[in-house]
Amino acid sequence: MPDMSASASLAMTHLVSFAKEVDEDKVTPGVLGFIVFAAMALAVWALMKSMSRHMNKVDFTQAPDPEAEQAEQAEQAEPQTADTETSGQGKQKQG
């Protein structure tokens, strides 16, 4: 089995050289930015889970309105004499 210390030291040399290349004047979000982002992500996840739970409780079947049914039946039951009288004559202006 090869010695892991050689590869570890090689990796550390690359990381150290990379760390020296980072501009010290550059501002990064750091740990606080990560914590705030993680808290916001958890809040969004909790809200979506809650919304999903509430939406699953909603019953989307709509009960028919009895008043609307009665009005529709009464409309269909009436003889349509007004329509038959004007259908052959066309529309006339009243003025």
Side-chain angles (χ1 to χ4, degrees), residues 54-75:
H54 281 87
M55 291 299 287
N56 286 336
K57 290 181 183 178
V58 174
D59 184 21
F60 285 107
T61 56
Q62 184 176 358
D65 188 13
E67 293 177 5
E69 277 186 17
Q70 290 174 357
E72 187 177 304
Q73 289 173 357
E75 186 178 290

Side-chain angles (χ1 to χ4, degrees), residues 67-90:
E67 293 177 5
E69 277 186 17
Q70 290 174 357
E72 187 177 304
Q73 289 173 357
E75 186 178 290
Q76 289 176 355
E78 289 178 359
Q80 298 179 353
T81 56
D83 290 341
T84 56
E85 290 175 3
T86 59
S87 64
Q89 297 173 0

Side-chain angles (χ1 to χ4, degrees), residues 19 21 25 29 33 40-41 44 47 52 59 63 67 74-75 84 91:
E21 292 176 11
D25 294 331
M40 288 174 56
V44 168
L47 285 172
S52 176
D59 184 21
E67 293 177 5
E75 186 178 290
T84 56
K91 293 186 179 179

